[in-house]
Amino acid sequence: MTAPPAPSPAGPPIDLRSDTVTRPDARMRDAMARAEVGDDVLDGDPTLRALEERVAGLLGRADALWVPSGSMGNLIALCAHLGRGDRFLVPDRAHILDLEVGTAAWLAGGMPRVLPWSAGPGTPGPADIDRAVARGGPYFALRDRLLCLENTHSAAGGTVTTPAQHRLLTDAAHAAGLLVHLDGARLWNAAVALGVPPAVLAEGADTVQVCLSKGLGAPVGSVLAGSAAFVREARRLRKMLGGGVRQGGVLAAAGLVALDRVDHLATDHEHARLLAAGLADRGWKVDPPQTNIVLVPADDPADTVGLLAEHGVLTVPTEAGVRLVTHRDVSRPDILRAVASFPRPS
């Protein structure tokens, strides 16, 4: 590849490593400072409760529970749904499978069965579920209990599962006797991309986890939703994992402000398309993104990431290239500068 001229960054670094790098703005910090709080472990925190009820409503669920991270939310769901040694089905390269340091096996005791992307990037098909489920067999055979889905699928480039695709998968899982957990860390992005309410994308899932600290800009926090009985057990499991919070309303207040900004994700998607189009004009083979993640194939990802860093553009390497994620703290001029900083492929 041909590198741009010697670096002379025109401003502070442009951080495209993830949409988790956003910082709370003045409005969010003010809401955090003014939050009404209580001891959530003893008596409940009113602001945490307001956030949980709001998310439960948005997802069409009976109840919800704030958790410090999406990884903890996913782990709690796995612990609630699986017995020791039970198997769960999961799409290839899902976050639960590759990026949660093995807690599905270590703490939840689950054995994964990986499903191929036969229905599109990041998405298995109903037949994959039907083939994967063990039926009958000796007492020592694995027991299939759960299907884990991810929407959007991060490793596939923020790809979206449509309501119709999602329903086919949940119907196939339930027909096979499985529960369904949806890792919806970026479900807000999928909803905005498709122009549908988040609850539509959660239909058929028994439990759902959504993140507030990615594109929505809260400094920390996710919410795990399901039935009232599930949330009672999830609260107990959260405490077992060290996630009991005291005056958590300070953090929940940021989440409430973040939920007011779901529609703003459309700007992130627009910036991602602008970024991909600009890179294509420079000779890179980039697929148009569905949401806010752009994957750029590269022969030497680490070398490309290093060159970009020299020009003040922060990215991360993947197995096959470079990942760039747009977010609320990146402007249109930042995107144009990032495009200009990219080396031309040789």
Side-chain angles (χ1 to χ4, degrees), residues 166-337:
H166 175 78
R167 196 67 207 211
L168 288 173
L169 296 173
T170 59
D171 285 350
H174 290 149
L178 306 180
L179 295 167
V180 179
H181 172 64
L182 173 60
D183 177 1
R186 293 185 176 88
L187 193 70
W188 317 112
N189 292 85
V192 168
L194 294 170
V196 300
V200 172
L201 296 174
E203 288 181 1
D206 297 279
T207 54
V208 188
Q209 179 269 127
V210 289
C211 189
L212 303 170
S213 65
K214 291 187 170 65
L216 300 187
V220 64
S222 291
V223 181
L224 180 62
S227 68
F230 167 79
V231 170
R232 284 194 296 272
E233 177 62 14
R235 187 176 299 275
R236 174 179 169 82
L237 289 166
R238 185 184 70 176
K239 180 67 173 172
M240 293 173 69
L241 294 171
V245 292
R246 300 296 179 175
Q247 289 72 35
V250 173
L251 298 172
L256 287 167
V257 173
L259 289 175
D260 292 337
R261 298 170 170 173
V262 172
D263 290 345
H264 297 184
L265 294 173
T267 300
D268 298 343
H269 299 175
E270 178 185 347
H271 287 165
R273 291 191 294 270
L274 177 65
L275 177 61
L279 293 177
D281 287 343
R282 290 182 69 83
W284 292 91
K285 296 180 180 179
V286 183
D287 291 330
Q290 292 182 312
T291 53
N292 68 321
I293 299 176
V294 178
L295 297 180
V296 183
D299 293 334
D300 191 338
D303 184 49
T304 303
V305 167
L307 287 172
L308 290 170
E310 291 177 4
H311 289 76
V313 180
L314 306 182
T315 59
V316 295
T318 68
E319 293 177 4
V322 178
R323 188 186 80 161
L324 305 94
V325 185
T326 58
H327 51 79
R328 60 178 290 107
D329 289 354
V330 175
S331 66
R332 182 183 178 90
D334 291 332
I335 296 298
L336 297 176
R337 184 180 136 204

Side-chain angles (χ1 to χ4, degrees), residues 40-174:
D40 193 57
V41 174
L42 296 179
D43 309 308
D45 180 293
T47 308
L48 269 174
R49 193 62 200 139
L51 174 65
E52 291 164 347
E53 290 176 349
R54 184 172 173 186
V55 173
L58 289 170
L59 297 177
R61 292 298 180 272
D63 205 354
L65 178 73
W66 183 93
V67 290
S69 70
S71 292
M72 181 182 281
N74 288 335
L75 175 59
I76 288 171
L78 290 171
C79 288
H81 294 321
L82 298 173
R84 304 290 290 180
D86 284 348
R87 186 163 63 180
F88 65 97
L89 279 54
V90 59
D92 192 20
R93 299 180 63 197
H95 197 279
I96 283 177
L97 188 64
D98 288 353
L99 297 173
E100 298 184 9
V101 291
T103 52
W106 176 39
L107 295 175
M111 189 78 151
R113 168 107 185 224
V114 178
L115 301 177
W117 297 354
S118 62
T123 308
D128 299 315
I129 297 169
D130 190 62
R131 283 192 295 267
V133 174
R135 292 175 171 84
Y139 75 92
F140 49 82
L142 287 170
R143 298 179 301 184
D144 293 300
R145 298 296 194 198
L146 178 69
L147 170 66
C148 292
L149 298 173
E150 184 177 333
N151 196 12
T152 67
H153 194 294
S154 175
T159 53
V160 172
T161 303
T162 67
Q165 288 175 308
H166 175 78
R167 196 67 207 211
L168 288 173
L169 296 173
T170 59
D171 285 350
H174 290 149

